[in-house]
Amino acid sequence: MIVLFNLAAHVFIGVLFLINFLTTPGDWWALYPAGLLLLSSLSIMLDRKLGYKLYAFTMATAFIVYLSFVNWVQTPDYPWILYICFPLLWWPLSAFFGQASRSLFFAGIASSSMILYYILLNMFWETGFPWAIFPAFILLWWPLSIGVARRPLAYGVLGTLLSSVFFIAVNWITTPEAIWAIYPIFALIWWPMSIALYKKPFAFSLAGSALLIVFFVAVNVLTTPLTPWAVFVIFAVLWWPLAMYVYWHKQKKRHSF
């Protein structure tokens, strides 16, 4: 079965390159499907025959070689392979360390080294914009998830803080004249608040109403300070805790008899 798949893959690759040569010889688009087929064929041949450590090392090396070749053929003046090769090296490293790769220590070392790598690339290669904050934000979720994922409230609080700092930084760097970070931060605050108060409907309604009021007042002041439209929203929002209080009070009286 594997031999038939490999034979069919190689025949299909030959057909793709023939079509590419006959139709658009200046643009080698066949490299992309051909690379995927070759990597899939290699993965099938290696699977279950070698240990996972050797499998990860071989596949990571194959990916780097293939992407480097595509980079050299398509865009030799711009080495975008630099952004991919270092993170790929952590695949065989995680396989080598085995169970230890699931630890907080390994996650911290791996994520911090990759963040430092992208910061250095940002400083010495792409200096026009501090783009390193985007991969740094994604990579920080790795140790955070391993460290506190089993504690939902702590995970929600720390995740909200991390995301809020990220959005504030992006807002300040890209468009400091427009304070748009309050919108995703407002949505994120509901995450830990819901975890903390989901068993207390009345307390949740009070906290939620206070959050909504603060949010709409802030938006009103920042966007249209001369038109106090937030009072209408506040009036509607206050019905939520009022309704919850009436319901809670009736339930309390019913259980008292």
Side-chain angles (χ1 to χ4, degrees):
M1 192 68 179
I2 296 176
V3 175
L4 289 176
F5 176 82
N6 291 334
L7 179 62
H10 284 78
V11 171
F12 189 61
I13 289 170
V15 172
L16 285 174
F17 275 103
L18 179 62
I19 295 172
N20 193 167
F21 176 75
L22 293 174
T23 56
T24 54
D27 181 19
W28 291 103
W29 51 263
L31 285 172
Y32 301 104
L36 292 176
L37 285 170
L38 285 174
L39 290 171
S40 300
S41 177
L42 178 62
S43 177
I44 292 173
M45 287 190 297
L46 293 174
D47 194 20
R48 298 179 183 179
K49 291 186 177 181
L50 301 172
Y52 182 68
K53 294 178 182 179
L54 188 56
Y55 172 80
F57 175 79
T58 305
M59 289 303 299
T61 304
F63 267 107
I64 292 173
V65 171
Y66 164 66
L67 293 173
S68 299
F69 179 71
V70 172
N71 190 174
W72 176 69
V73 172
Q74 297 285 47
T75 54
D77 297 330
Y78 184 74
W80 49 261
I81 185 63
L82 293 174
Y83 300 98
I84 304 171
C85 61
F86 185 72
L88 273 175
L89 293 177
W90 282 94
W91 180 14
L93 283 173
S94 63
F96 177 79
F97 283 99
Q99 293 292 331
S101 62
R102 301 179 182 180
S103 66
L104 179 60
F105 177 77
F106 182 87
I109 294 295
S111 60
S112 59
S113 66
M114 283 187 273
I115 290 171
L116 178 61
Y117 175 75
Y118 284 120
I119 290 174
L120 292 175
L121 277 180
N122 199 169
M123 291 173 60
F124 298 104
W125 183 251
E126 295 280 355
T127 58
F129 178 80
W131 52 266
I133 60 174
F134 298 101
F137 170 68
I138 295 172
L139 288 166
L140 284 172
W141 285 93
W142 183 3
L144 178 65
S145 299
I146 292 178
V148 293
R150 295 183 179 180
R151 291 177 287 175
L153 182 57
Y155 188 62
V157 171
L158 293 176
T160 300
L161 289 174
L162 174 61
S163 302
S164 299
V165 171
F166 170 72
F167 285 118
I168 291 171
V170 173
N171 190 171
W172 177 69
I173 293 170
T174 58
T175 52
E177 70 281 358
I179 307 176
W180 52 262
I182 60 173
Y183 301 105
I185 291 173
F186 165 74
L188 285 165
I189 293 175
W190 290 89
W191 176 15
M193 190 174 71
S194 300
I195 295 174
L197 301 174
Y198 75 99
K199 291 184 178 181
K200 302 174 181 178
F202 180 57
F204 182 72
S205 67
L206 288 173
S209 299
L211 178 60
L212 287 167
I213 290 170
V214 171
F215 171 71
F216 284 112
V217 169
V219 173
N220 192 172
V221 172
L222 292 172
T223 57
T224 53
L226 299 179
T227 306
W229 51 264
V231 294
F232 303 104
V233 181
I234 293 171
F235 173 74
V237 167
L238 288 176
W239 285 94
W240 178 18
L242 178 62
M244 292 301 300
Y245 174 77
V246 172
Y247 174 78
W248 172 76
H249 187 67
K250 285 185 177 180
Q251 290 293 109
K252 186 178 180 181
K253 288 182 63 177
R254 184 180 300 175
H255 290 295
S256 62
F257 289 105

